Structures are given as C-alpha cells and as structure tokens.
Amino acid sequence: MDILSVTVHHYDAFCQEKNKGNPAGIVLNADTLTVDQMQQIAFEVGFNETAFALQSNKADLRIRFFTPGHEMNLCGHATMAMISALLDKDSLNNKTMLNIETAAGVLPIALQSGPEGNGLIQMTQSSPLFTLFKGDKTELAHAIGINKDDICDDLPIVYGSTGTWTLLVPIKSLAAFEVMQPNNKAFPSILTEMPKASVHPFCLETYYTKPDMHARHFSSPYSGTIEDPVTGTASGVMGAYYAKFIVDQTVEPCYQLTIEQGQEIGKDGEVRVCVTGDLNQLQVSILGQAIHNKDLKIDLTE
C-alpha cells in the first residue's frame, strides 16, 4: 500500500501574529490530487477551510476550498492565505494584479506594497445578493444562545452572499456576543430558505476604537466546524449590508469599513472592507494579509 505525503502550509489570516486571526491550510501544486483526497486532507487538517492551488485555463490560478465536511464556492481568509503563501514562495513573478478562478467565478486580486514587505491583498468579491429571512426569530435567537430581544427590531435579518451564503443577524449590543453559544445542529431546521447557510450575528458596537463593526460567525453543521474566527466573505457582505440597509440610501456608496472578529475566542482579527458602486450594483472588496505559522504533513493512502 503506497503512502502519499502532502505538505500543508498553515497560515493565519487577517492578523499579524501567529495563532490569532483565522487559520487556513494551503496546498500548492494540487493538480494531481483527486477531489476525495482534497476532502480527506481538509478533514485531517481540521481548519475551517483548506485551499488547494491548481492550474487554470481562464485565470492566473484556480483555487478550490474545502471545509472538513464539504467543498465551498469561496473563502476569503483562505484566499488571503493562499496568495500570501505564493508570495512567500516567489511564485507570482512580481505581479501586482492577478485573477483567480473559483467556484464563485473569476475574481481579481490586487497586491499592495506595505512596510517591511508586509503588503495587503485586496480581493474583489462577487456582486452581493440578499434574501429575506422568513423563519422564527425566537428560535433563531435561541439557536445562537441569546434572547429575541437582543436582535435589532429596526434592521432586517437577511441571507447575504458575495460568493457564500450566510444569515446576517443584526444585534443590539456587544454584550450579547459574550454569551453566545451556538447550537449549530439546529440551524437547518430554522434556516428553511437556505438550510446550509451559516449564521453571522453582527453589531455596530466594537471592542476597539478603530473598527466600525463587530461580528461572530457560526458554521453550518454540514461544514464540520463550529465557529469561524475571522470571516472574509461574510465581512464583505456585511459591508454591502451596511450600504444597503444601515446608512443614508440617497448617498452613493463609498465606504471603507474595518470589521473586528474573534475577540470572544482569543483569535482577534480584522478585515478591511471597501464598498462602492450604486445600490443596485454594489462592488465589494476585502483587504487583509496572512502570516505563515508552520507546515503540516498529511499522509494519504493510495
């Protein structure tokens, strides 16, 4: 019986310190791996997402994203980790712009220089989509460990996507986030419109002075994880939500927001979100970076 040993690079995204932010597994040169092998690697690594780099005939690079339980269309933090890994390996030939092929479409990436070589990666996401949540608000609140009164009455609860669907739940105050305990298994029976969506509570109160919004992100039970520490795709759609539902609708959107996440679980991280365009065609991008933590070896039986 042959053993295939695969190197998985562990990167921490949306932070500048190891073991903060959101961990991602990165596998380079993954063209020879089967889908089942990719899924097995993601399961063995156990992070919220593991990303695999493949050749593309329509972009500079193809990236596939896997949770321990299934494949995802798009993942913001794993994209940051993948591009950071390629930069560390000098594999991008000094490019400042590139396109990545994902299951959510071909998306542009811009690389911005920074101090000491620590540049920012800007990822443009798919155009935001929203669908109204029509389920039971009390059951939803209980499923994330809070009371119905903790949810804002004057803002809508909606499913939102800039590549991956999540339920955006506006919360009145930061205090509710500290007591949240998700019952992920209950999500599909409550999210009847989109049973596989994750749940993303957020509020306008923050732990730190710089950020504009705070959030937590509770995984779909189908993903095999409980909570995502710092979420790129959900942060992007939060920015679109801010432009569409929170601020003055008569002003053309042009916002640069900073979103904090992970404080309750010791994984402090930060995502910058840019929102432009008009309310009928918002354009959303996220900015961040990732740092190498360590390398892992996963042995597969062939």
Side-chain angles (χ1 to χ4, degrees):
M1 186 176 294
D2 295 329
I3 301 296
L4 175 64
S5 184
V6 178
T7 298
V8 180
H9 306 290
H10 169 185
Y11 273 74
D12 293 316
F14 299 127
C15 63
Q16 297 180 330
E17 180 183 345
K18 287 183 179 180
N19 300 315
K20 295 291 186 179
N22 203 347
I26 298 300
V27 179
L28 304 174
N29 304 313
D31 294 276
T32 60
L33 296 174
T34 67
V35 173
D36 287 344
Q37 287 173 326
M38 293 182 197
Q39 186 64 74
Q40 183 181 344
I41 291 168
F43 178 82
E44 295 289 341
V45 171
F47 295 153
N48 282 281
E49 274 86 14
T50 296
F52 298 82
L54 302 99
Q55 294 181 356
S56 172
N57 58 12
K58 61 176 70 171
D60 297 287
L61 172 72
R62 182 185 179 196
I63 308 177
R64 297 183 73 165
F65 307 95
F66 289 80
T67 75
H70 59 81
E71 185 170 7
M72 298 281 288
N73 288 342
L74 184 66
C75 175
H77 84 274
T79 299
M80 298 292 163
M82 175 64 76
I83 302 303
S84 294
L86 293 170
L87 286 169
D88 288 346
K89 299 291 184 182
D90 292 324
S91 299
L92 296 180
N93 300 318
N94 296 316
K95 289 182 178 180
T96 57
M97 296 287 297
L98 67 151
N99 291 319
I100 60 169
E101 178 189 350
T102 74
V106 175
L107 304 175
I109 301 288
L111 306 177
Q112 301 181 9
S113 60
E116 302 178 358
N118 296 322
L120 285 174
I121 300 163
Q122 182 169 8
M123 171 190 176
T124 298
Q125 299 183 331
S126 301
S127 297
L129 301 171
F130 296 103
T131 297
L132 187 64
F133 170 71
K134 298 178 181 179
D136 188 291
K137 192 173 176 181
T138 300
E139 290 185 1
L140 173 62
H142 291 166
I144 57 176
I146 60 175
N147 296 316
K148 177 182 176 182
D149 291 343
D150 292 316
I151 299 176
C152 291
D153 297 319
D154 55 348
L155 291 172
I157 302 171
V158 297
Y159 300 92
S161 173
T162 50
T164 301
W165 286 100
T166 191
L167 185 71
L168 294 156
V169 186
I171 303 297
K172 292 177 182 177
S173 72
L174 196 60
F177 287 81
E178 297 178 359
V179 300
M180 288 179 180
Q181 293 288 338
N183 178 10
N184 305 64
K185 292 181 179 180
F187 292 173
S189 64
I190 299 168
L191 312 185
T192 54
E193 300 90 355
M194 295 188 187
K196 293 187 177 181
S198 54
V199 177
H200 195 75
F202 68 92
C203 75
L204 298 178
E205 289 186 359
T206 58
Y207 285 98
Y208 301 108
T209 56
K210 178 184 173 183
D212 302 285
M213 305 172 81
H214 177 79
R216 293 183 73 174
H217 187 88
F218 302 126
S219 309
S220 162
Y222 300 101
S223 71
T225 60
I226 301 298
E227 180 168 0
D228 208 21
V230 191
T231 319
T233 50
S235 293
V237 81
M238 272 176 68
Y241 182 105
Y242 181 88
K244 191 169 181 65
F245 299 110
I246 295 178
V247 294
D248 187 348
Q249 301 298 291
T250 65
V251 178
E252 184 173 295
C254 185
Y255 302 107
Q256 294 193 27
L257 305 171
T258 299
I259 294 170
E260 65 175 25
Q261 195 180 329
Q263 284 72 26
E264 294 85 1
I265 56 174
K267 288 285 192 177
D268 303 43
E270 197 174 89
V271 184
R272 289 170 54 186
V273 180
C274 297
V275 185
T276 58
D278 60 61
L279 291 175
N280 294 319
Q281 191 66 38
L282 292 172
Q283 298 173 352
V284 178
S285 63
I286 59 172
L287 293 94
Q289 55 195 153
I291 59 172
H292 180 252
N293 189 312
K294 59 186 176 184
D295 287 346
L296 310 169
K297 291 290 186 182
I298 303 296
D299 291 332
L300 303 176
T301 301
E302 293 188 293

